[in-house]
Amino acid sequence: MDENLVLEVRRLSGGYRKGGVISRGTYKQILFDVNFEVRHGEIVGLVGESGSGKSTLAKIILGLLDPQEGEVIHHTPRPQIIFQDPYSSLNPAYDVEWILEEPLRVYGKYDKAERKRRVRDMLSRVELDEHYLKSKPNELSGGQRQRVSIAAALIRRPRFIIADEPVSALDVTVQAQVLRLMRSLREELDLSYLFISHDLNVVYQICDRVLVLKNGRIVEQGEVETVFNHPQHEYTKRLLEAAE
Amino acid sequence: MKNKRMNGYLLAGLILTGLLVALMLLGKFWTPYSPTEMNGAAKLQPPSWAHLFGTDNFGRDIFSRVMRGGGTTLTIAVLTIAIGAVLGTLIGAATGYFGGAVDDALMRLNDALTAFPSILLALLIISLVGPGKTYNVVIALGIVFIPSFARVMRTQFASQRNVNYITSARLMGAGSLRIMILHMLPNTLRTLLPALTIGFNNAVLAEASMSFLGIGVTPPDASLGYMLSEAQGMLVKAPWYAISTGAMIALLVFGVGLIGEGLQKLEREVD
């Protein structure tokens, strides 16, 4: 087995069961025979139109949804997720310090002093000043919220992160800052990302490899440079034209 | 957190309710006259400095009776919403969080309970547990108040079930109980607190109705509702009895209503 892998997805099919407390309901298949892997240190882009199955794939990888067939093999501890909407990803009832400390409390391996130290350390890594510790999410800008979301996802030092449209809700200038931050955190904390996005420009900026998902099937995958400059599949060409 | 600003509703409500509650709590230990002692020499006296709210046909001081009876009413209302809110929140949290078949079953039962007029339901429960005792009234009203709290809280928990911060909490390994209590419950308070004030007022009025109908508090206990039914018999001879007792109920409900309105206004300003 390749020591360098963080994630393997093999012959994966999945979808949702709709309706029915008494009846079993109907099964809506979303993903068909999906195969790919993420290697250590890589940022892998997952692109496709809305409805192509990107979010379903993310849920199955995170274990929030059971696959119908195939398997997801993790070579790292549990992955964490960064969501698109920085408004609903932070609990509005608590301040930043509580939000960042909570994953460590649940983990239960550190005493209070160590938790506080780690929270401060992570806050500085996402380039937020300590005085934001006492801020509630509704007092932060979209970019600041997304930095807090990133910090919360990274506080237990996972090695693999799923980022679901992490910059789509942000202004272009803030987008660039957050992307730069995600790239530098990859080096500092030795991370790998699965980077879900419909924005091909963003994918081109940050990703090493890219998977193109269409109607639940991966129609093309490869190095970003290769795929974007010499697309093989009609669908990839169409996406690229639309992104011009 | 920016300081939540006090508003006029809240301030007025807190002052009014505070004064009334202080008076009623005081009435549990001290009253100007004994609320039950009869005085043949002072029957049916109109309000005066000696008897602020006058006296009834037994010569009892109505102000003292209002203080003591108000305390009974207050106790019943507080315990009633405590039962309703705690059990309602438990049911609402379980059904809203887990969903599925448990949710369906409990909510249909809830609908069935809601379909009864609340006084009828209270009457039914009183006939089961026996009338007269203060705590039986509390049990009856408490049960009657569960469904409305359960419904409100179910919505609050269900609406958070698939929100991203809850998904994150699950991914980091937080258990269901921790998620419900620590992650979800605080976000329901902005709805729960105003609901408590409305529930409190409904409880005061429900107790008054029950005692007025004779299925609530019975002598020697007295509540504002019981006193109102007493006052009805001497409406012409001693109108001050009905007026002062009724005004006490109205002021208490008004004060708590102001607090509820103030709380909702506060939340709107924060958004």
Side-chain angles (χ1 to χ4, degrees):
Chain A
M1 190 183 67
D2 192 340
E3 290 293 317
N4 248 340
L5 292 176
V6 296
L7 175 76
E8 292 176 75
V9 172
R10 297 287 169 238
R11 304 187 47 78
L12 185 79
S13 306
Y16 295 97
R17 188 170 299 286
K18 288 199 297 191
V21 175
I22 297 158
S23 68
R24 284 182 47 107
T26 52
Y27 197 82
K28 172 113 174 74
Q29 191 168 359
I30 310 264
L31 296 170
F32 302 86
D33 193 26
V34 171
N35 288 282
F36 70 94
E37 61 273 330
V38 176
R39 298 189 199 100
H40 182 191
E42 252 186 345
I43 303 183
V44 176
L46 177 63
V47 302
E49 295 166 320
S50 56
S52 58
K54 302 191 297 285
S55 299
T56 308
L57 182 54
K59 278 185 187 158
I60 293 179
I61 293 172
L62 288 166
L64 297 171
L65 191 66
D66 290 329
Q68 184 186 19
E69 266 178 60
E71 54 184 343
V72 175
I73 305 163
H74 291 283
H75 296 283
T76 64
R78 204 166 195 174
Q80 293 294 319
I81 186 166
I82 301 167
F83 291 105
Q84 168 178 11
D85 177 15
Y87 291 85
S88 63
S89 56
L90 302 175
N91 195 325
Y94 292 101
D95 62 18
V96 169
E97 183 167 33
W98 190 94
I99 291 170
L100 294 185
E101 201 184 335
E102 176 66 0
L104 298 175
R105 272 191 297 266
V106 171
Y107 188 51
K109 294 262 167 75
Y110 305 118
D111 64 12
K112 189 168 179 163
E114 176 64 12
R115 292 200 301 264
K116 301 281 181 209
R117 196 192 65 72
R118 283 175 180 257
V119 166
R120 278 170 174 70
D121 171 67
M122 191 51 74
L123 200 68
S124 73
R125 285 183 191 273
V126 297
E127 296 157 13
L128 281 179
D129 194 89
E130 271 194 19
H131 76 260
Y132 287 113
L133 282 175
K134 292 298 169 205
S135 302
K136 291 269 182 83
N138 66 354
E139 295 159 13
L140 302 175
S141 69
Q144 289 168 334
R145 284 171 192 236
Q146 204 57 310
R147 286 170 190 272
V148 175
S149 303
I150 292 171
L154 295 180
I155 192 90
R156 289 222 309 236
R157 298 295 171 82
R159 307 298 297 279
F160 177 45
I161 293 287
I162 294 179
D164 189 358
E165 307 266 8
V167 296
S168 304
L170 306 175
D171 298 340
V172 177
T173 47
V174 182
Q175 269 192 5
Q177 293 167 7
V178 171
L179 288 176
R180 186 180 49 72
L181 174 68
M182 289 181 69
R183 218 182 285 124
S184 68
L185 286 171
R186 166 173 65 161
E187 312 301 330
E188 285 177 42
L189 303 175
D190 197 19
L191 297 169
S192 312
Y193 294 110
L194 179 66
F195 192 99
I196 302 173
S197 183
H198 68 279
D199 186 337
L200 297 196
N201 291 313
V202 168
V203 169
Y204 190 73
Q205 281 179 58
I206 194 170
C207 295
D208 305 306
R209 275 193 314 125
V210 63
L211 316 166
V212 183
L213 197 63
K214 185 199 179 201
N215 296 335
R217 295 172 204 275
I218 291 182
V219 293
E220 186 159 2
Q221 60 176 306
E223 303 293 319
V224 166
E225 292 286 340
T226 318
V227 172
F228 278 36
N229 293 325
H230 309 285
Q232 299 300 308
H233 197 279
E234 275 308 310
Y235 181 70
T236 316
K237 287 178 192 166
R238 274 219 328 272
L239 280 182
L240 285 164
E241 276 165 24
E244 288 295 311
Chain B
M1 190 76 207
K2 292 183 205 87
N3 275 325
K4 292 186 172 183
R5 281 191 299 113
M6 202 57 142
N7 58 49
Y9 287 100
L10 194 55
L11 190 64
L14 285 173
I15 291 173
L16 179 56
T17 311
L19 286 174
L20 291 172
V21 168
L23 190 69
M24 291 168 181
L25 288 181
L26 179 66
K28 285 187 173 292
F29 309 102
W30 177 86
T31 49
Y33 300 86
S34 161
T36 50
E37 194 185 331
M38 302 181 191
N39 180 358
K43 282 184 192 169
L44 295 173
Q45 290 192 356
S48 65
W49 284 115
H51 300 283
L52 277 180
F53 291 173
T55 60
D56 67 6
N57 58 344
F58 297 114
R60 296 177 298 194
D61 179 51
I62 293 173
F63 186 68
S64 301
R65 285 182 68 68
V66 164
M67 282 174 76
R68 179 65 56 86
T72 307
T73 295
L74 200 63
T75 308
I76 292 176
V78 167
L79 292 178
T80 295
I81 56 161
I83 292 175
V86 169
L87 293 181
T89 300
L90 284 176
I91 294 172
T95 56
Y97 181 82
F98 291 107
V102 179
D103 186 21
D104 286 341
L106 277 171
M107 280 301 128
R108 291 302 81 76
L109 181 67
N110 216 29
D111 289 343
L113 281 177
T114 315
F116 281 98
S118 52
I119 284 291
L120 194 64
L121 192 60
L123 188 63
L124 183 75
I125 299 166
I126 280 288
S127 66
L128 289 177
V129 298
K133 294 285 186 291
T134 302
Y135 59 82
N136 285 353
V137 178
V138 167
I139 291 171
L141 282 179
I143 294 173
V144 169
F145 276 69
I146 293 171
S148 62
F149 278 107
R151 178 157 299 281
V152 169
M153 295 308 277
R154 179 195 168 276
T155 312
Q156 290 295 306
F157 278 86
S159 67
Q160 293 184 70
R161 191 164 57 201
N162 292 318
V163 176
N164 289 339
Y165 60 81
I166 297 301
T167 304
S168 291
R170 253 184 230 124
L171 281 176
M172 70 186 177
S176 295
L177 207 58
R178 185 181 188 93
I179 289 177
M180 280 190 264
I181 296 171
L182 274 182
H183 293 248
M184 288 178 157
L185 188 61
N187 290 306
T188 68
L189 291 185
R190 61 166 52 194
T191 306
L192 181 60
L193 291 179
L196 285 177
T197 64
I198 295 168
F200 177 87
N201 281 349
N202 288 338
V204 168
L205 296 176
E207 183 280 319
S209 313
M210 284 175 67
S211 296
F212 188 80
L213 293 173
I215 54 171
V217 174
T218 50
D221 286 353
S223 68
L224 292 177
Y226 175 76
M227 289 162 60
L228 207 54
S229 72
E230 244 182 11
Q232 189 194 22
M234 51 190 104
L235 201 54
V236 180
K237 285 184 287 181
W240 49 84
Y241 194 2
I243 291 170
S244 55
T245 309
M248 215 57 171
I249 296 176
L251 281 176
L252 186 61
V253 168
F254 181 59
V256 175
L258 281 177
I259 293 178
E261 186 61 37
L263 283 173
Q264 282 174 317
K265 214 166 129 64
L266 210 70
E267 290 298 348
R268 280 196 294 274
E269 277 171 14
V270 171
D271 288 333

